[in-house]
Amino acid sequence: MSRLYRGRQIILGRVALGVLCVAVSASCSEVERRHDEQQSISSLTSDSRHPIPLSPSAEKEHRAVMLQHLETIQVIVNALVDEDYELARGLTELHLGFFMHRLAKASQPSENFPPAYQELAAAHNAAAEELARIIPTRDMKQILPQFNNVLKACVACHLEYTVREQS
Ligand code: HEC
């Protein structure tokens, strides 16, 4: 697909959304609200996140763990797409074990993670645990909302904390 074509599609999509919004103004505010919610991270220009001071090596490790999380999420979704529920459950448990290890490390006095960060990490663990429990139902109507809860737990922490220096 050419870039121009894609650009046109986006513009057409915007126009269509605009028309739709005029037609159904009630759901329009809902669309706008969701859009605002989605932009809540990108609009963090006046950064109100709490900085966690980490040594360069700890910051590097933290980043590697995070990238691994995202990758795991993708592989879990892939397994669900393939309807390989056993693999999806196994990966979720593995992900959880990995995160538990991180959490245990983060609560060591040598690390600088504040208790509230650890609570957010624990909430993420609880959500992933629940997801692993629900996957064997093979019922996407139950799996998806729980998957959403896991992702919400990622986002909740990202809205609160940064490991970057504040300028
Ligand atoms: C308890 C807190 C917490 C949880 C839970 C959490 N993250 Fe993070 N994540 C962070 C912090 C802090 C950063 C660093 C943000 C910054 O300063 O750039 C980060 C950064 C990232 C990054 C960017 C890495 C980079 O290259 O800079 C990705 C990707 C990411 N997280 C994915 C995830 C995913 C996916 C989940 C859920 C499965 C998740 N995170 C859950 C705290 C968390």
Side-chain angles (χ1 to χ4, degrees):
M1 198 190 285
S2 79
R3 191 173 282 188
L4 185 66
Y5 181 68
R6 204 179 303 151
R8 268 198 201 143
Q9 275 208 325
I10 291 168
I11 292 165
L12 278 177
R14 292 252 163 93
V15 171
L17 187 66
V19 171
L20 198 77
C21 282
V22 173
V24 239
S25 59
S27 56
C28 180
S29 57
E30 174 69 8
V31 169
E32 273 170 7
R33 191 181 62 76
R34 291 199 178 193
H35 194 67
D36 284 349
E37 266 176 18
Q38 277 172 4
Q39 283 195 328
S40 50
I41 286 193
S42 56
S43 62
L44 277 171
T45 38
S46 60
D47 202 333
S48 58
R49 293 175 296 173
H50 309 290
I52 304 170
L54 295 180
S55 67
S57 70
E59 186 183 330
K60 219 172 148 189
E61 194 195 327
H62 185 269
R63 179 160 307 148
V65 169
M66 286 299 153
L67 289 175
Q68 176 93 53
H69 280 332
L70 184 53
E71 231 179 283
T72 312
I73 294 288
Q74 189 271 316
V75 180
I76 295 170
V77 170
N78 206 74
L80 289 174
V81 169
D82 290 344
E83 297 181 23
D84 191 340
Y85 298 98
E86 197 49 43
L87 178 64
R89 189 190 54 80
L91 287 165
T92 307
E93 278 175 354
L94 206 73
H95 173 70
L96 194 64
F98 195 52
F99 217 90
M100 290 293 235
H101 170 72
R102 255 317 295 184
L103 181 60
K105 254 189 101 180
S107 43
Q108 278 165 20
S110 57
E111 304 254 346
N112 287 325
F113 294 95
Y117 178 96
Q118 291 164 36
E119 274 167 32
L120 285 163
H124 167 270
N125 284 356
E129 210 163 39
E130 187 60 19
L131 176 62
R133 201 183 61 75
I134 225 112
I135 286 175
T137 62
R138 299 169 165 255
D139 177 5
M140 285 309 284
K141 283 204 171 136
Q142 292 184 60
I143 295 170
L144 259 187
Q146 197 47 46
F147 212 115
N148 192 25
N149 288 343
V150 173
L151 294 178
K152 275 188 196 165
C154 310
V155 174
C157 193
H158 292 164
L159 285 170
E160 286 294 321
Y161 289 101
T162 176
V163 296
R164 285 176 212 283
E165 297 274 332
Q166 301 297 285
S167 48

